[in-house]
Amino acid sequence: GFSVQIFGAWLLYGIWHAAVVYATTMFVLSQAQAHQADGKDMGFWFAGNTLYGSIVIVGNVWILQRTSTHTVVSVVLCVLSILSFFFCYWFVSAFFKYGSDYKLFGENMSTGLTYLSMLLAAWWNAFVDFLVARFLEYQQERALAKAAHS
């Protein structure tokens, strides 16, 4: 069934994911050595696009982790979903000359810190999800064992 407690748990779970992605990305991109190739600080748009890319990756990794019906099609769709973010970011960066993202894609994708922040955000969330899943399985096994002994 569904209840306010279950909704609250999912809400807190989503807030946890958001906090980890935000903190990881901003921590990596705010290091003293974090700057663009031309020496400029990595600004709001740079960090925001990296953060959004991290969210897309974490969401798709979460879907792959939580679903147990992996097919070639499902995996390809998740990969295409991630690639569509990068394609749209490149497209806007290349052709929308009056936007804040103009020519930002190349700068963003040329620094290793972008990839590091995205990978760390995805890894931390996947790791915690793995631990939570193992804990819930353990709790369920304990409850079944307790019921069997009763």
Side-chain angles (χ1 to χ4, degrees), residues 51-65:
L51 182 61
Y52 193 77
S54 297
I55 291 167
V56 169
I57 292 169
V58 166
N60 282 284
V61 168
W62 188 88
I63 289 169
L64 286 172
Q65 266 188 312

Side-chain angles (χ1 to χ4, degrees), residues 8 11 30 42 51 57 72 81 87 92-94 100 104 112 140 143-144:
L11 185 64
S30 66
M42 293 181 184
L51 182 61
I57 292 169
V72 172
S81 176
F87 174 76
V92 169
S93 177
S100 300
L104 192 60
Q140 188 176 22
L144 290 173

Side-chain angles (χ1 to χ4, degrees), residues 3-14:
S3 66
V4 173
Q5 289 82 11
I6 292 173
F7 177 75
W10 278 106
L11 185 64
L12 289 174
Y13 190 64

Side-chain angles (χ1 to χ4, degrees), residues 34-43:
H35 52 79
Q36 296 180 33
D38 61 2
K40 288 191 269 182
D41 182 34
M42 293 181 184

Side-chain angles (χ1 to χ4, degrees), residues 29-50:
L29 294 180
S30 66
Q31 298 303 306
Q33 68 274 16
H35 52 79
Q36 296 180 33
D38 61 2
K40 288 191 269 182
D41 182 34
M42 293 181 184
F44 175 74
W45 292 104
F46 191 101
N49 285 313
T50 304

Side-chain angles (χ1 to χ4, degrees), residues 85-97:
F85 161 75
F86 290 102
F87 174 76
C88 290
Y89 182 20
W90 167 80
F91 186 82
V92 169
S93 177
F95 298 110
F96 286 55
K97 294 182 180 181

Side-chain angles (χ1 to χ4, degrees), residues 33 94 111 113 125 144-145:
Q33 68 274 16
T111 177
L113 290 176
N125 275 296
L144 290 173

